[in-house]
Amino acid sequence: MAEIIPLHRDHSRLFHQNRYVYPVVSRRSGGISVGINLNPDKVCNFDCIYCQVDRRSEAETTFVGTEHLLAELDEVIELVTSGRLWDDEKFGATPQAFRRFNDIAFSGDGEPTTFRNFDLIVNEVAQRKMSAGLDQVKMVLITNASMFHRPACQRGLAVLMAHQGEIWAKLDAGTEEYYHLIERTRIPFARILENILDVSLRWPVVIQALFMNVAGVPPTEAEISAWLGRLKGILAAGGQISLVQVYTVARPPAEAIVTPLSDAEVDHIVKRVQQETSLTAQGYYGSRASS
């Protein structure tokens, strides 16, 4: 399946002339994910050292035109459902196993839940999905969990989860020190942990954890143990975790000091999750096509 490598490593937010909506072959969803970029201004409340977004270049768009976004969404949904997407030069080499419409994902060039009208846009997208008869297509939120406490975000999450939703919450660290090294944000680590717990008490969450070498040094066993302790703490408090995604960098990161872990290192962390928490965990790799 070597032909999938250029596709899963290319998650460009640009698709033809579109500003907000873009299809990608997703290694974690195993199919086509239609991304919605609510942050074309590239503003994010995290500044992760591994982020693939080039924040040094000027953003082409500084606001979201809702009607324009929804028109793009309708067009891309039609491309995928009709099969015309496979006629596109970029997607023509997509293996048959990946030619399935898995989800519509709120992701993009920043934290999607910072979007002021997050609840309204989630509702509009849900209505489009229903109108297209896409009952089995998921709605996925890929998030750093920093805004879950805000009322607009809580309303948006309720709509999302009522429409085949999944919440993929970032948790890349076990200690405060490592959290600030990786995420480079003023948001307290305690806020992230509290938000993930609060949401997981209502709905199952997918934990997404990206581990890497920083200046040639992987996360220590003590850091991994602390991270596992956070997962155990969520479970002990009654939180629900449906899956733990353990992955590493697969595309060029923001900082040159960031490099991917080896497959064996990813597998080691996955094994620790399975053995020490009994949670379902999956590894995604930086070097091999099956990732």
Side-chain angles (χ1 to χ4, degrees), residues 5-208:
I5 292 178
L7 293 168
H8 88 255
R9 287 183 177 171
D10 180 9
H11 281 206
S12 171
R13 273 71 171 177
L14 300 177
F15 177 67
H16 298 308
Q17 301 303 312
N18 286 11
R19 293 183 179 180
Y20 312 109
V21 182
Y22 54 98
V24 296
V25 177
S26 171
R27 61 177 178 160
R28 284 184 285 170
S29 66
I32 293 295
S33 176
V34 172
I36 297 178
N37 186 5
L38 296 180
N39 306 93
D41 55 7
K42 300 185 180 182
V43 173
C44 188
N45 55 8
F46 276 26
D47 185 23
C48 303
I49 63 174
Y50 60 78
C51 185
Q52 71 197 54
V53 177
D54 181 7
R55 303 192 190 282
R56 292 167 295 182
S57 62
E58 186 176 351
E60 294 185 9
T61 305
T62 57
F63 67 95
V64 174
T66 302
E67 292 305 316
H68 191 160
L69 183 155
L70 294 172
E72 288 184 4
L73 178 61
D74 288 340
E75 179 180 312
V76 173
I77 285 176
E78 196 280 330
L79 278 175
V80 179
T81 56
S82 69
R84 291 196 299 117
L85 182 65
W86 321 125
D87 297 330
D88 187 277
E89 181 179 2
K90 179 179 176 181
F91 292 91
T94 304
Q96 195 63 40
F98 284 80
R99 295 191 178 198
R100 49 179 291 276
F101 193 170
N102 185 77
D103 63 79
I104 299 171
F106 296 92
S107 182
D109 291 334
E111 170 52 37
T113 58
T114 60
F115 185 65
R116 178 176 296 179
N117 297 317
F118 178 72
D119 54 337
L120 301 182
I121 197 67
V122 171
N123 186 64
E124 289 284 357
V125 172
Q127 296 305 313
R128 290 299 202 283
K129 187 173 86 77
M130 290 174 59
S131 296
L134 301 174
D135 295 340
Q136 298 308 308
V137 171
K138 300 175 184 179
M139 291 179 67
V140 175
L141 171 64
I142 301 175
T143 175
N144 62 25
S146 62
M147 296 292 166
F148 287 174
H149 58 288
R150 293 190 172 182
C153 185
Q154 293 176 1
R155 292 191 297 269
L157 293 178
V159 173
L160 183 96
M161 297 307 291
H163 291 85
Q164 201 76 0
E166 288 186 358
I167 299 167
W168 294 11
K170 176 196 299 289
L171 185 60
D172 298 327
T175 64
E176 181 99 25
E177 180 182 10
Y178 196 72
Y179 163 79
H180 285 293
L181 170 68
I182 300 301
E183 320 294 14
R184 296 191 301 198
T185 178
R186 295 182 179 180
I187 298 172
F189 191 33
R191 166 62 71 187
I192 305 302
L193 296 170
E194 180 180 343
N195 281 354
I196 292 175
L197 175 59
D198 287 348
V199 166
S200 72
L201 291 172
R202 297 184 63 187
W203 306 290
V205 298
V206 174
I207 296 295
Q208 37 169 358

